[in-house]
Amino acid sequence: MATNDVGRHRILVMSRFRIMFSHAGVALMGATCMIAFGAMALAAPAWVWLLVPLGVVAQMMNEYNLHRFVFHLAPPRRQWAFDLLYRAHYGHHDFPTNPGLFFVPIWVALPMLLFNFGLVWGLMAMIGVDAAFWVALAIVPCGGVLTFMGYEWFHMTAHLSLPKTRVERHVTTLHNQHHFRDFSKWFHVSPGGQIIDRAMGTDIDREALKSQQRIEFIRTLGMVPDDQRLVAARVKFASKYSLSVAEIERAAVS
């Protein structure tokens, strides 16, 4: 790679880091992960490090289940509930290139982190596992949050138009099927997660893809684009996510 190419690649990587860590939820989770690894290095029993991969596997399953069964819930009738789901995920489908909507909100990420950590710690303590706190730390803030950070990186990269590595191109190809072909398929984003989609029957094989038609109202998850809940949510979040009047009007007819 030429010197100029190396410099350009470094700038692109740093710009992605700036986008990621400008989001409060990602910054908090990243800091939590670093602190957890630091604490592990200073005081955790050596054997506990062997449990970090369990956190990776658990988070891969969590990523799939959260995306499929929570973020793709049927649209709530009440506007306040719809707005929550819109901010959590519907808005990202509505405006898939808006960086402010790429990432999991802090009010989703933080409670999940605390709940999962408390659950593992409590279960380990209840059954009498030695070093229950360190076991929970290894599985949740270390393995789990590290995997979450990887997910946020690959998900963000899938929605940015820039040079990508081979793995990033693969992730982008699969994720584009979810956004622009069939939102009931390919719920995973992290590399390797397609194994879970295949096991759960939410993948699209190459032959089926050739005849698969794009789902109607794909960007609004099957809702008519001018549904009043969507219209109200777009207006509500317009200033926060810099949505122009033209973008909102276009979304209501596309």
Side-chain angles (χ1 to χ4, degrees):
M1 186 180 289
T3 303
N4 288 344
D5 290 337
V6 171
R8 183 166 178 268
H9 177 72
R10 185 178 295 118
I11 291 171
L12 288 171
V13 169
M14 292 308 296
S15 69
R16 278 184 273 179
F17 273 112
R18 282 194 294 272
I19 293 171
M20 269 188 65
F21 288 97
S22 65
H23 188 274
V26 176
L28 176 63
M29 297 293 271
T32 300
C33 189
M34 291 178 63
I35 292 169
F37 272 107
M40 288 271 291
L42 288 173
W47 62 269
V48 172
W49 286 93
L50 298 175
L51 301 178
V52 172
L54 288 179
V56 174
V57 174
Q59 179 56 30
M60 293 286 279
M61 289 301 302
N62 186 53
E63 178 185 327
Y64 178 90
N65 289 324
L66 183 67
H67 190 182
R68 180 179 180 182
F69 299 112
V70 179
F71 287 168
H72 279 258
L73 280 171
R77 293 180 179 274
R78 296 182 180 274
Q79 189 65 47
W80 68 267
F82 184 87
D83 288 347
L84 288 176
L85 193 55
Y86 188 89
R87 172 57 195 97
H89 196 65
Y90 273 44
H92 172 57
H93 276 266
D94 209 11
F95 299 98
T97 60
N98 187 304
L101 293 164
F102 287 170
F103 307 104
V104 176
I106 191 171
W107 48 266
V108 173
L110 183 57
M112 288 197 63
L113 169 65
L114 296 176
F115 175 80
N116 289 337
F117 180 75
L119 179 64
V120 175
W121 187 6
L123 286 174
M124 293 301 102
M126 187 170 61
I127 63 177
V129 172
D130 290 336
F133 171 82
W134 295 110
V135 169
L137 201 72
I139 292 174
V140 182
C142 291
V145 175
L146 186 65
T147 306
F148 169 83
M149 297 298 290
Y151 155 80
E152 292 286 31
W153 175 269
F154 282 102
H155 182 239
M156 170 192 63
T157 300
H159 287 279
L160 294 174
S161 179
L162 42 69
K164 301 175 185 182
T165 65
R166 182 178 179 181
V167 174
E168 290 168 346
R169 290 196 300 271
H170 176 67
V171 168
T172 299
T173 298
L174 293 183
H175 193 53
N176 279 345
Q177 306 306 318
H178 175 72
H179 269 276
F180 306 115
R181 186 66 68 88
D182 186 345
F183 55 75
S184 69
K185 304 292 184 181
W186 292 123
F187 289 100
H188 227 288
V189 180
S190 299
Q194 61 265 32
I195 295 172
I196 299 175
D197 271 296
R198 286 169 184 155
M200 298 295 286
T202 51
D203 64 327
I204 307 174
D205 63 43
R206 290 183 179 274
E207 289 305 311
L209 192 59
K210 293 177 182 178
S211 58
Q212 176 83 23
Q213 297 297 312
R214 188 173 74 168
I215 286 183
E216 189 176 19
F217 305 134
I218 184 75
R219 286 178 56 158
T220 50
L221 302 181
M223 300 176 68
V224 293
D226 61 350
D227 185 291
Q228 288 307 301
R229 290 166 294 180
L230 281 168
V231 172
R234 290 170 188 141
V235 171
K236 178 176 181 176
F237 294 112
S239 60
K240 184 173 183 179
Y241 299 109
S242 302
L243 301 175
S244 68
V245 173
E247 284 180 301
I248 293 174
E249 290 177 348
R250 187 163 55 248
V253 297
S254 60

